[in-house]
């Protein structure tokens, strides 16, 4: 299949990686040439881990990388696509503009999927003249490792398109789960209130960063505590999703914790900014609690 992936960030490069690894031709599209080069380097490094673990041979890595091309032009990059997966920044207006442009530029039969973590699929589909071919394909981070694809049907998404995306997800080694289009879908409707509650628990002084994360890691067998996971996802993304839940479901229990709002305002976004609940130094895997919480 010819697959175009829009956005060369953390999710976009992981999605391109997995499709290319499974034999598909990928065009990775981003406005910035520099982002595209960084993404290719990250994909190469992540494939190296798989080679080192004997989950892929060096030869397979070479052919997977050769299936990925890049473009800085949306219309050019989707001209031959059978499927587009959009993984741009989580901003409604940006996504609506991209889907309007995609509708004009992509072939008529092309399926338009979005990796949005919480924006309404129905709303995005309404920006196009082909809402029955628009669907949510929500990958989890790190994409090469996490097995779930949350498949979200918009109001008009057809059965045939849903079946194609389910089959494709299985063919790339993922487990698709199909759900309906309400704020946060299922994954983030449940995950984000847990993270928000962890921040609230910290804010109220019930426990410190390490106490909260250790309790959830050892007590519930989560691979990461909720505060470390928030840093990993990005505190700005967590806040944006809580706002979608609060607005979309209209219940006070979804109000973002003031500490989360404060940290995002201060530019403490987690791993990507170097500080959140922990501090991050390039090349080090040590978890050090951020000065504000020591
Ligand atoms: N590409 C390829 N392989 C990778 C990778 C990547 N980007 N990142 C990690 N790996 C591999 C490692 O090579 C390693 O492989 P083996 O099992 O063969 O040894 C394995 O994954 C585990 O990695 P590490 O040993 O480096 O570290 P770890 O054991 O601490 O696991 C983790 C790291 C997989 C991220 C784990 O901590 C984890 O599962 N965390 C929770 C992740 C999670 O909840 N993700 C969902 C976030 S929510 C989301 O994405 C959606 C949203 O809308 C917000």
């Amino acid at each position: 299949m010819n697959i175009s992936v829009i956005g060369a960030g953390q999710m976009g490069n992981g999605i391109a990686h997995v499709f290319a690894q499974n034999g598909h031709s990928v065009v990775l599209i981003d406005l910035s040439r520099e982002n595209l080069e960084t993404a290719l380097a990250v994909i190469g490094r992540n494939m190296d881990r798989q080679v080192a673990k004997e989950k892929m041979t060096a030869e397979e890595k070479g052919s997977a990388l050769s299936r990925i091309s890049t473009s800085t032009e949306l219309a050019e990059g989707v001209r031959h696509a059978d499927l587009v997966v959009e993984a741009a920044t989580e901003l409604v207006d940006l996504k609506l503009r991209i889907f309007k442009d995609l509708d004009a530029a992509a072939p008529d039969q092309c399926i338009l999927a979005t990796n949005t973590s919480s924006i309404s699929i129905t709303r995005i589909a309404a920006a196009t003249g082909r809402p029955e071919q628009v669907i949510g394909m929500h990958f989890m981070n790190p994409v090469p490792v996490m097995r779930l694809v949350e498949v979200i049907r918009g109001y008009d998404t057809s059965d045939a398109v849903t079946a194609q995306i389910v089959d494709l997800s299985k063919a790339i080694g993922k487990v698709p789960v199909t759900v309906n289009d309400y704020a946060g879908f299922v994954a983030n409707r449940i995950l984000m209130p847990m993270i928000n509650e962890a921040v609230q628990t910290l804010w109220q002084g019930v426990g410190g960063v390490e106490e909260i994360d250790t309790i959830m890691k050892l007590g519930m067998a989560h691979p990461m505590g909720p505060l470390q996971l928030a840093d990993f996802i990005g505190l700005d993304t967590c806040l944006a999703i809580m706002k979608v839940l609060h607005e979309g479901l209209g219940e006070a229990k979804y109000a973002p914790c003031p500490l989360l709002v404060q940290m995002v305002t201060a530019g403490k976004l987690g791993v990507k900014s170097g500080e959140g609940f922990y501090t991050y130094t390039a090349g080090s895997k040590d978890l050090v609690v951020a000065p504000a919480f020591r």
Side-chain angles (χ1 to χ4, degrees):
M1 235 174 155
N2 290 324
I3 300 174
S4 300
V5 177
I6 300 177
Q10 204 174 25
M11 296 307 286
N13 77 53
I15 295 167
H17 172 144
V18 170
F19 280 128
Q21 185 185 349
N22 286 281
H24 298 283
S25 296
V26 177
V27 184
L28 184 57
I29 306 168
D30 198 285
L31 289 173
S32 144
R33 173 84 17 228
E34 200 188 330
N35 287 355
L36 288 168
E37 273 156 26
T38 306
L40 288 179
V42 171
I43 294 171
R45 279 203 301 275
N46 285 334
M47 286 185 179
D48 283 341
R49 301 183 192 221
Q50 292 171 300
V51 173
K53 299 269 165 65
E54 295 182 353
K55 290 183 174 167
M56 188 191 248
T57 64
E59 208 181 352
E60 284 163 349
K61 175 194 162 188
S63 25
L65 284 178
S66 74
R67 284 190 279 272
I68 305 178
S69 58
T70 59
S71 174
T72 52
E73 295 293 326
L74 184 96
E76 177 58 30
V78 302
R79 202 145 54 103
H80 303 295
D82 303 304
L83 166 69
V84 176
V85 181
E86 170 275 321
T89 312
E90 285 288 280
L91 297 169
V92 179
D93 290 344
L94 174 70
K95 297 219 190 257
L96 296 181
R97 185 153 43 83
I98 290 175
F99 273 77
K100 191 163 179 278
D101 293 347
L102 280 177
D103 195 30
D108 290 347
Q109 299 310 312
C110 180
I111 296 175
L112 306 180
T114 170
N115 178 57
T116 182
S117 48
S118 60
I119 295 170
S120 161
I121 308 303
T122 307
R123 187 165 176 202
I124 292 173
T128 75
R130 55 177 106 179
E132 64 292 342
Q133 284 163 242
V134 176
I135 192 161
M137 199 175 185
H138 184 205
F139 290 84
M140 303 290 133
N141 188 21
V143 181
V145 179
M146 305 298 285
R147 296 188 64 209
L148 178 71
V149 176
E150 188 179 31
V151 176
I152 307 110
R153 296 185 64 133
Y155 191 85
D156 287 311
T157 311
S158 73
D159 291 345
V161 164
T162 307
Q164 279 185 68
I165 294 301
V166 163
D167 289 347
L168 175 66
S169 302
K170 287 180 185 163
I172 58 171
K174 302 293 184 196
V175 177
V177 178
T178 306
V179 301
N180 290 317
D181 183 26
Y182 289 96
F185 322 131
V186 170
N188 281 318
R189 169 110 174 226
I190 297 172
L191 175 64
M192 283 306 156
M194 181 192 73
I195 286 177
N196 196 48
E197 199 60 29
V199 184
Q200 192 87 15
T201 309
L202 175 69
W203 189 52
Q204 290 175 350
V206 185
V209 170
E210 282 173 311
E211 286 76 13
I212 292 168
D213 273 357
T214 304
I215 284 172
M216 296 305 286
K217 260 165 61 178
L218 301 187
M220 320 310 155
H222 290 189
M224 286 175 168
L227 300 173
Q228 188 191 355
L229 183 56
D231 277 358
F232 179 67
I233 293 168
L235 301 193
D236 49 344
T237 303
C238 294
L239 177 60
I241 297 172
M242 283 313 295
K243 285 182 177 166
V244 168
L245 292 177
H246 196 213
E247 280 165 28
L249 301 169
E251 287 183 50
K253 68 176 179 177
Y254 298 113
C257 175
L259 174 59
L260 180 63
V261 177
Q262 189 89 302
M263 289 175 77
V264 173
T265 308
K268 310 295 183 201
L269 307 181
V271 177
K272 66 176 136 182
S273 74
E275 183 179 332
F277 297 103
Y278 299 89
T279 51
Y280 300 90
T281 320
S284 164
K285 279 189 107 179
D286 292 343
L287 265 186
V288 180
V289 174
F293 304 110
R294 275 179 214 157

